[in-house]
């Protein structure tokens, strides 16, 4: 009856809630006491008064001294229960919710950050963001409903049973049976509404994801005059949400008719029981009064549960279901349980019988790839587009796990290290460097969080970025825009190079790191890069062959295989792919 996903969500939420027993236990204790004080003790006092009135056991002309105490107590209980105690519950509830919300948010954040590159490649960033906020919102609504509606209902049922059992056992049995049937039926009937709610949540996520994708690619939309097309597509999505809201509303309305009829039946039942009680069992006035007043309290609680609590639960569990599923995804690339201490120092690299196929790709990219790079060697990696150069580097960084073979650095299998230790020893400048929407200083310092401002500026100077940074209105404090859009392609590359320089790791990996620079700037940076490479092992991918011509060694990849391997001179002599590529380019770049 309860969906597996809702069960998982409930388990997830309980796991985080139970981290704070110092708030949970008081709530579990205070809520029933509050219900007792506010709704169950006052009728008992009135019943007692009624009892004495009906039996005439009071002093006729001294109404106040007979009943004053009861009335004062009655008023005090109402005030304490209704005002004071609920405020205390409120305070605990808020504190608990705030603590759990933080805890959940951190859990989700860590989870998303630890996922592999593939995980993120297969998902919309915007959708993950919306799933996160939906989960947090859902949690708060679930907690509120449980504390303020469901716990009072459970306590109410228990108190009614205890207090009335000695006076009207038959009635208690009937009422409890009816309430249980009602609750089970309500949950059963809302099944349909719950499905409608999760379909609605799904449609909403699609809207958010589409929105995020469009906003991120707004320049593509503009440059291809795609606005009209995009607006049409977007409105299809929003229309879908509207349709689902209507479905949900329709479903809920039908349900409400059932449920409110059922609670009316409860009230009717209590009235007839009261009448039967008086006529058949000669019940006293006090009992009749208690039956009526407790039943009307229970009926109200049941109606709230059926109409409101379940609806909130349904929508909230629907909202949370996507993130619950996302949280269940194990990271593809995992740190070993007992990681080895990193011994990486020199940066000798070996790919040994490496097999690799991209997830979802038709063909195997690397089958039995073998390549040894000596410590301190500078290797240029060349090959046609799609030959596997970037993938080679990403495997070295363990962004994906290989399907067979081993990748070793200084003799140590990289899968035996933590990902952080491995990547700490590689300075990587990706093909499309992406910046945080933070200051330039912070972006460069990302290579080494402990770097001083002086060191950052030194690295920027080496990467020939200092000049353009100083021309910016706020210098190193300038924000670079989302993903660095406020910088030119070449400027972004220079920041990425500065970042790699400041990292100063044993292995330097450059993927088309200077491709967006004009030849003059490239020559200048080459100088600095050579200096940096002197001390390190370096792998440099470049389509512009002049960039790598002076490397110790050039490796040519073709369809994931090493087809040529040697110095520039060797490969020119061999008259293979490299020589051909060189011939094409040397028109523009003179062989020195
Ligand atoms: N995440 C991915 N999922 C599936 N296939 C991928 C993925 N990334 C790359 N590929 C495929 O793997 C092959 C090698 O890609 P790779 O990026 O390594 O090429 P490359 O040599 O760096 O090319 P370029 O010179 O254009 O940068 C290509 O056919 C590409 O389509
Ligand atoms: Mg590439």
């Amino acid at each position: 009856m309860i969906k597996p996903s809702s069960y998982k969500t409930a388990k997830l939420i309980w796991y985080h809630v139970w981290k704070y027993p110092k708030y949970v236990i008081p709530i579990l204790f205070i809520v029933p006491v509050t219900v007792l004080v506010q709704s169950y003790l006052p009728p008992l006092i009135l019943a007692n008064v009624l009892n004495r009135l009906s039996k005439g056991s009071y002093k006729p002309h001294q109404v106040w001294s007979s009943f004053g105490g009861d009335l004062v107590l009655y008023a005090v209980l109402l005030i304490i229960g209704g005002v004071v105690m609920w405020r205390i519950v409120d305070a605990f509830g808020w504190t608990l919710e705030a603590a759990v919300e933080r805890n959940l948010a951190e859990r989700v954040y860590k989870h998303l950050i630890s996922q592999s590159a593939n995980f993120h490649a297969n998902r919309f960033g915007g959708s993950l963001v919306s799933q996160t906020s939906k989960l947090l919102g859902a949690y708060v609504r679930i907690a509120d409903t449980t504390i303020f509606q469901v716990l009072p209902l459970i306590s109410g049922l228990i108190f009614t049973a205890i207090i009335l059992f000695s006076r009207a056992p038959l009635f208690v049995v009937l009422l409890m049976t009816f309430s249980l049937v009602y609750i089970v039926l309500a949950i059963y009937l809302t099944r349909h509404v719950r499905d409608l709610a999760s379909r609605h949540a799904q449609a909403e996520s699609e809207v958010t994801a589409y929105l995020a994708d469009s906003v991120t690619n707004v320049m593509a939309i503009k440059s291809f005059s795609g606005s009209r097309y995009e607006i049409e597509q977007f409105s299809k999505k929003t229309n879908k949400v509207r349709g689902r809201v209507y479905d949900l509303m329709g479903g809920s309305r039908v349900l409400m008719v059932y449920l409110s009829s059922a609670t009316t039946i409860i009230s009717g039942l209590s009235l007839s029981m009261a009448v039967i009680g008086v006529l058949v069992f000669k019940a006293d006035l006090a009992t009749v009064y208690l039956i009526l007043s407790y039943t009307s309290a229970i009926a109200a609680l049941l109606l709230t549960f059926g109409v409101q609590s379940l609806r909130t639960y349904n929508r909230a569990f629907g909202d949370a279901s996507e993130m619950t599923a996302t949280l269940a995804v194990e990271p593809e690339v995992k740190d070993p349980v007992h990681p080895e201490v990193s011994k990486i120092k020199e940066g000798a690299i070996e790919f040994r019988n490496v097999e690799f196929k991209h997830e979802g790709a038709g063909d195997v990219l690397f089958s039995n790839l073998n390549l040894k790079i000596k410590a301190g060697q500078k290797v240029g990696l060349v090959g046609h587009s799609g030959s596997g150069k970037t993938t080679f580097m990403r495997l070295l960084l363990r962004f994906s796990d290989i399907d067979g073979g081993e990748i070793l650095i200084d003799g140590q299998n990289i899968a035996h290290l933590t990902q952080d230790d491995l990547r700490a020893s590689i300075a990587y400048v990706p093909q499309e460097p992406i910046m945080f929407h933070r200051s330039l200083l912070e972006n460069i310092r990302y290579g080494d969080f402990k770097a001083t401002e002086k060191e950052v500026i030194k690295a920027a100077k080496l990467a020939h970025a200092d000049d353009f940074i100083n021309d910016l209105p706020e210098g190193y404090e300038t924000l670079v825009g989302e993903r660095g859009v406020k910088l030119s392609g070449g400027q972004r590359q220079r920041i990425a190079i500065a970042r790699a320089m400041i990292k100063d790791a044993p292995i330097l990996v450059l993927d088309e790191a200077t491709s967006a620079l004009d030849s003059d700037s490239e020559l200048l940076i080459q100088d600095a890069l050579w200096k940096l490479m002197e001390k390190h092992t370096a792998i440099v991918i470049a389509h512009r062959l002049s960039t790598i011509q002076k490397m110790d060694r050039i490796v040519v990849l073709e369809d994931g295989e090493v087809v040529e391997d040697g110095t520039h001179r060797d490969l020119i002599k061999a008259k293979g792919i490299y020589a051909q590529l060189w011939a094409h380019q040397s028109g523009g770049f003179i062989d020195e």
Side-chain angles (χ1 to χ4, degrees):
M1 195 158 66
I2 298 192
K3 262 183 143 177
S5 76
S6 305
Y7 175 70
K8 281 186 199 136
T9 303
K11 219 170 112 183
L12 170 80
I13 289 179
W14 178 249
Y15 172 80
H16 286 273
V17 164
W18 194 238
K19 286 187 174 176
Y20 301 95
K22 61 179 174 192
Y23 305 129
V24 178
I25 292 171
I27 289 176
L28 290 178
F29 178 73
I30 300 172
V31 170
V33 174
T34 309
V35 170
L36 184 70
V37 170
Q38 188 194 12
S39 312
Y40 282 79
L41 293 185
L44 263 185
I45 295 172
L46 278 193
N48 183 22
V49 169
L50 283 176
N51 212 4
R52 278 151 58 204
L53 273 175
S54 67
K55 289 186 183 144
S57 57
Y58 62 98
K59 301 181 192 118
H61 299 294
Q62 292 173 329
V63 177
W64 178 249
S65 66
S66 303
F67 297 115
D70 297 287
L71 293 179
V72 170
L73 187 60
Y74 182 82
V76 168
L77 284 177
L78 279 186
I79 292 171
I80 290 182
V83 182
V84 182
M85 296 196 62
W86 277 121
R87 294 292 81 75
I88 297 174
V89 174
D90 227 27
F92 274 107
W94 275 83
T95 324
L96 175 71
E97 277 169 26
V100 174
E101 209 181 334
R102 186 202 60 185
N103 207 266
L104 261 178
E106 279 174 9
R107 153 99 177 256
V108 172
Y109 187 80
K110 277 187 204 149
H111 184 79
L112 294 181
I113 297 282
S114 71
Q115 288 295 337
S116 67
N118 250 340
F119 171 95
H120 288 284
N122 289 329
R123 283 170 181 81
F124 277 119
S127 159
L128 291 174
V129 171
S130 110
Q131 284 180 22
T132 308
S133 58
K134 272 176 155 180
L135 173 73
L136 298 180
Y139 155 69
V140 171
R141 280 177 288 149
I142 290 171
D144 270 344
T145 304
T146 310
I147 297 175
F148 294 102
Q149 294 175 355
V150 176
L151 266 183
L153 171 65
I154 297 171
S155 337
L157 284 171
I158 294 174
F159 291 137
T160 307
I162 294 175
I163 298 175
L164 281 184
F165 194 74
S166 60
R167 296 169 186 256
L170 184 62
F171 175 74
V172 168
V173 171
L174 266 176
L175 181 67
M176 292 304 133
T177 314
F178 195 95
S179 302
L180 279 183
V181 170
Y182 171 92
I183 291 172
V184 173
L185 225 78
I187 295 176
Y188 180 75
L189 288 174
T190 48
R191 209 184 25 165
H192 175 57
V193 178
R194 194 172 51 216
D195 290 341
L196 294 177
S198 56
R199 282 161 60 86
H200 170 244
Q202 229 168 28
E204 269 187 333
S205 286
E206 280 174 32
V207 168
T208 326
Y210 202 86
L211 184 69
D213 196 34
S214 309
V215 171
T216 320
N217 286 304
V218 71
M219 290 322 290
I221 296 179
K222 284 184 192 295
S223 47
F224 289 94
S225 317
S227 313
R228 189 133 50 108
Y229 171 77
E230 292 297 331
I231 291 169
E232 271 169 24
Q233 297 304 311
F234 186 68
S235 107
K236 274 187 203 157
K237 305 244 175 233
T238 50
N239 261 323
K240 191 161 150 193
V241 173
R242 186 173 69 167
R244 303 242 163 127
V245 172
Y246 287 164
D247 294 347
L248 185 59
M249 199 168 66
S252 305
R253 207 184 295 136
V254 173
L255 184 72
M256 199 140 113
V257 174
Y258 284 133
L259 296 178
S260 46
S261 320
T263 44
T264 317
I265 294 175
I266 293 195
S267 303
L269 178 84
S270 77
L271 193 62
S272 36
M273 282 304 287
V275 173
I276 294 170
V278 172
L279 295 182
V280 182
F281 299 104
K282 306 278 179 275
D284 57 8
L285 198 58
T287 306
V288 171
Y289 169 73
L290 284 179
I291 286 183
L292 289 179
S293 82
Y294 288 171
T295 319
S296 76
I298 293 286
L301 287 169
L302 283 176
L303 188 64
T304 310
F305 174 77
V307 175
Q308 227 184 319
S309 318
L310 279 181
R311 185 158 81 179
T312 313
Y313 276 154
N314 284 330
R315 290 190 81 154
F317 278 107
D319 277 355
S321 61
E322 286 174 295
M323 190 37 97
T324 305
T326 304
L327 282 175
V329 176
E330 287 274 326
E332 247 172 77
V333 178
K334 273 191 264 192
D335 282 340
V337 187
H338 304 292
E340 291 175 9
V341 178
S342 166
K343 287 181 254 164
I344 301 178
K345 232 170 124 186
E346 310 280 315
I349 298 167
E350 181 176 358
F351 274 54
R352 200 183 277 169
N353 307 331
V354 169
E355 266 173 54
F356 181 75
K357 175 174 163 304
H358 276 293
E359 194 193 78
D363 290 330
V364 172
L365 181 59
F366 298 128
S367 56
N368 204 19
L369 178 71
N370 283 289
L371 190 67
K372 261 188 182 174
I373 296 172
K374 285 195 206 118
Q377 200 168 44
K378 285 134 209 46
V379 178
L381 203 53
V382 183
H384 289 112
S385 179
S387 57
K389 304 178 297 292
T390 300
T391 309
F392 177 86
M393 290 192 165
R394 291 166 62 89
L395 293 183
L396 180 64
L397 283 146
R398 201 170 167 228
F399 286 147
S400 301
D401 273 328
I402 48 180
D403 303 319
E406 282 176 315
I407 299 174
L408 309 160
I409 300 182
D410 289 339
Q412 205 171 15
N413 188 330
I414 60 166
H416 297 168
L417 304 174
T418 66
Q419 297 166 66
D420 279 348
D421 277 353
L422 166 68
R423 291 171 200 153
S425 53
I426 304 174
Y428 172 51
V429 180
Q431 196 160 13
E432 284 149 12
I434 285 176
M435 312 273 127
F436 291 101
H437 183 38
R438 300 178 192 166
S439 71
L440 281 164
L441 187 82
E442 281 171 276
N443 267 298
I444 298 175
R445 194 182 270 159
Y446 220 78
D448 175 7
F449 295 107
K450 292 195 278 292
T452 61
E453 202 169 325
K454 244 191 189 155
E455 289 167 317
V456 169
I457 294 174
K458 191 176 149 212
K461 279 190 176 144
L462 283 172
H464 293 270
D466 185 61
D467 281 348
F468 88 79
I469 294 176
N470 281 325
D471 284 345
L472 292 169
E474 305 198 36
Y476 281 85
E477 291 306 321
T478 311
L479 297 179
V480 299
E482 196 180 357
R483 291 172 304 130
V485 288
K486 287 189 183 172
L487 299 179
S488 77
Q491 289 171 340
R492 252 197 319 262
Q493 285 195 331
R494 278 177 275 172
I495 299 297
I497 290 170
R499 196 189 259 176
M501 285 182 162
I502 215 165
K503 185 161 175 181
D504 200 23
I507 299 173
L508 180 68
V509 171
L510 306 176
D511 192 349
E512 293 282 353
T514 50
S515 60
L517 297 177
D518 58 89
S519 307
D520 289 344
S521 311
E522 190 184 18
L523 269 179
L524 290 173
I525 293 183
Q526 283 296 335
D527 231 27
L529 283 177
W530 273 112
K531 266 185 221 138
L532 185 68
M533 282 190 245
E534 259 167 33
K535 300 176 281 175
H536 305 308
T537 309
I539 308 177
V540 179
I541 296 177
H543 282 298
R544 191 150 58 188
L545 300 182
S546 59
T547 312
I548 50 166
Q549 181 196 349
K550 286 191 222 144
M551 296 276 167
D552 300 335
R553 179 180 168 195
I554 291 166
V555 172
V556 183
L557 274 185
E558 183 74 10
D559 292 332
E561 275 180 55
V562 177
V563 288
E564 290 170 32
D565 187 347
T567 60
H568 171 76
R569 219 175 272 269
D570 297 339
L571 297 192
I572 292 289
K573 266 195 223 140
K575 295 197 162 65
I577 296 179
Y578 182 83
Q580 230 171 33
L581 289 170
W582 181 259
H584 281 308
Q585 289 189 7
S586 49
F589 299 92
I590 314 297
D591 193 349
E592 290 158 60

